């Protein structure tokens, strides 16, 4: 329960420590899982001291147990081992220190570890962290490669030597971290985040050599898996050998079977690329040569055509045809004009022969009454009526005699 204090009525340190101890004493025993980082078994001492650490969150707690409790598992438990401890929290008032008093210690077996990893894998799969659509394509030619590996390790040597042998100009940004043990997870996570924050880094390789299930356990840690999933930079997992499959393999954008394989997949081989370039250039030459030859054949075929070989021949042929048509049209028109002239001449002659003027020229006259009516019958006129007589050269007036 809360304690009422103030600046005027403070509690002594001993009282505060006593109250904390009272609160902790009321806590029951708990089962705790962690990794042993420090182990102290002094000869003749009846108590064993050890430190239990959570590698994912970098938190440790002191544990004490009687020698007989630890001797039950001493043959299979040591520093670095993962254990499950049944313990009750205790408060050491003189030093203000919290610890756990272990009543039972159980080692975590490989089978149990694998079962827990399988459960974690299913949970992360359900979240979509391993989905194929999340995988990013690696750049063809990375300029700067981030490498997370153990210091002076075979994995570092394999990646650097093979990558530089394949492409001498490649550069590396290396982060050396512990790759097993209690400090591995937080430092690997920190290294990955640092490299991901560097804009010049094109791809990140997390590499480690082979080892047991316990040795590779940090690379199946949930914190590391989520850190890799959050990276903006493509990540390559190169942990262990071909049979090893930590959870990092599933969340990474590319899995390499070994560190050497990672170098081969991340960096292209300069010899192979030069050979590919030579092959493409030769293929381009053949394509251009074939295209030019085909166009030359087409041009030769076109030049061999009569219309191209003698382009004026068609015009000359058409000119002859036009000339012949003009001559034919002129002849036809001349025939039509001659025939029309002949017909006109005959028609004119007939008209002239049948015209009244020709009759008048032969000495005939035409009598017309005053109203212009032509006299055809003597009964049509009366005595003393004046008539107009038309002759070939003119007209005159006549009077009818009774």
């Amino acid at each position: 329960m809360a304690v009422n204090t103030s600046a005027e009525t403070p509690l002594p340190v001993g009282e505060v420590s006593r109250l904390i101890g009272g609160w902790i004493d009321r806590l029951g025993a708990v089962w705790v899982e962690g990794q042993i980082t420090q182990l102290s078994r002094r000869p003749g001492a009846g108590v064993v001291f050890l430190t239990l650490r959570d590698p994912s969150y970098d938190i440790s707690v002191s544990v004490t147990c009687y020698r007989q409790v630890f001797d039950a598992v001493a043959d299979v438990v040591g520093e670095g081992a993962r254990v499950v401890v049944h313990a009750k929290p205790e408060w050491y008032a003189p030093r203000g220190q919290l610890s756990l008093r272990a009543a039972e210690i159980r080692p975590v077996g490989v089978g149990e570890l694998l079962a827990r990893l399988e459960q974690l894998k299913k949970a992360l799969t359900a979240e979509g962290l391993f989905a194929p659509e999340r995988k990013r394509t690696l750049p063809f030619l990375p300029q700067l490669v981030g490498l997370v590996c153990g210091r002076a390790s075979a994995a570092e040597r394999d990646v650097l030597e093979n990558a530089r042998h394949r492409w001498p100009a490649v550069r590396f940004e290396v982060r050396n971290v512990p790759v097993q043990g209690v400090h591995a997870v937080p430092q690997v996570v920190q290294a990955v985040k640092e490299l991901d924050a560097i804009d010049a880094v094109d791809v990140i390789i997390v590499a480690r050599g082979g080892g047991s299930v316990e040795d590779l356990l940090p690379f199946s840690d949930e914190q590391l898996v989520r850190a890799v999933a959050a990276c903006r930079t493509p990540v390559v997992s190169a942990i262990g050998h071909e049979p090893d499959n930590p959870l990092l393999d599933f969340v990474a954008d590319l899995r390499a079977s070994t560190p050497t394989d990672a170098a081969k997949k991340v960096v292209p081989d300069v010899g192979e690329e030069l050979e590919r370039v030579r092959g493409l250039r030769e293929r381009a030459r053949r394509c251009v040569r074939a295209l030019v030859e085909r166009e030359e054949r087409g041009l030769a075929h076109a030049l061999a055509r009569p219309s191209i070989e003698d382009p004026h021949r068609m015009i000359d042929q058409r000119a002859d045809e036009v000339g012949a048509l003009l001559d034919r049209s002129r002849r036809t028109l001349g025939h039509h004009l001659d025939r029309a002239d002949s017909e006109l001449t005959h028609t004119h002659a007939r008209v002239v022969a049948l015209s009244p003027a020709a009759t008048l020229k032969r000495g005939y006259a035409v009598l017309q009454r005053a109203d212009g009516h032509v006299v055809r019958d003597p009964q049509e006129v009366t005595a003393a009526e004046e008539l107009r007589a038309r002759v070939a050269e003119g007209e005159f007036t006549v009077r009818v005699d009774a």
Side-chain angles (χ1 to χ4, degrees), residues 342-355:
S342 177
E343 291 177 356
L344 182 61
T345 301
H346 290 101
T347 301
H348 181 266
R350 287 196 300 271
V351 170
V352 170
L354 297 175
S355 68

Side-chain angles (χ1 to χ4, degrees), residues 265-311:
K265 290 183 176 179
V266 170
V267 180
D269 184 82
V270 63
E272 293 178 359
E273 297 306 318
L274 288 175
E275 185 62 30
R276 184 177 290 110
V277 170
R278 283 194 291 268
L280 291 175
R281 292 175 65 180
E282 183 60 31
R283 180 181 176 185
R285 289 193 188 95
R286 291 196 300 269
C287 291
V288 172
R289 189 180 297 111
L291 178 62
V292 171
E293 291 176 353
R294 184 180 64 196
E295 295 302 322
E296 287 179 344
R297 290 193 298 270
L299 182 60
H301 179 71
L303 292 175
R305 299 180 62 181
S307 59
I308 302 298
E309 188 176 13
D310 186 7

Side-chain angles (χ1 to χ4, degrees), residues 75-143:
D75 294 337
V76 293
V77 169
E79 288 191 3
R82 296 181 70 93
V83 294
V84 175
V85 177
H86 188 238
K88 185 179 186 305
E90 289 185 346
W91 179 257
Y92 185 59
R95 297 179 57 183
Q97 183 177 357
L98 175 67
S99 64
L100 298 176
R101 171 69 69 172
E104 183 180 356
I105 299 176
R106 295 182 183 179
V108 178
V110 175
E112 188 174 359
L113 285 176
L114 294 178
R116 292 182 183 179
L117 290 180
E118 187 63 28
Q119 292 177 355
L120 178 59
K121 178 181 176 182
K122 291 181 180 179
L124 297 177
T125 302
E127 290 185 30
L129 295 186
F130 302 156
E133 56 270 18
R134 295 186 71 257
K135 309 296 183 183
R136 289 158 294 189
T137 303
L138 270 61
F140 167 70
L141 182 58
Q143 300 299 313

Side-chain angles (χ1 to χ4, degrees), residues 23-38:
W23 294 330
I24 292 176
D25 284 340
R26 287 194 291 269
L27 296 176
V30 293
W31 286 97
V32 182
E33 181 184 356
Q35 189 172 18
I36 298 176
T37 58
Q38 294 180 359

Side-chain angles (χ1 to χ4, degrees), residues 176-291:
N176 293 123
V177 296
V179 290
Q180 69 182 57
V182 294
H183 301 289
V185 173
Q187 294 197 31
V188 171
V189 170
Q190 181 63 27
V192 169
K193 290 181 178 179
E194 288 179 3
L195 293 175
D196 186 50
I198 301 175
D199 294 334
V201 173
D202 299 315
V203 62
I204 299 172
I205 300 175
V206 182
R208 187 203 189 282
S212 63
V213 175
E214 293 86 348
D215 293 338
L216 302 182
L217 200 59
F219 298 96
S220 293
D221 188 87
E222 181 178 359
Q223 185 182 0
L224 177 58
V225 170
R226 294 189 181 278
V228 171
C231 284
R232 298 177 297 106
T233 310
V235 178
V236 176
S237 173
I239 306 300
H241 302 298
E242 182 65 35
D244 300 321
N245 284 288
L247 296 186
L248 181 62
D249 287 350
F250 298 97
V251 73
D253 298 288
L254 179 67
R255 176 191 181 266
S257 58
T258 61
T260 300
D261 184 50
K264 294 180 179 179
K265 290 183 176 179
V266 170
V267 180
D269 184 82
V270 63
E272 293 178 359
E273 297 306 318
L274 288 175
E275 185 62 30
R276 184 177 290 110
V277 170
R278 283 194 291 268
L280 291 175
R281 292 175 65 180
E282 183 60 31
R283 180 181 176 185
R285 289 193 188 95
R286 291 196 300 269
C287 291
V288 172
R289 189 180 297 111
L291 178 62

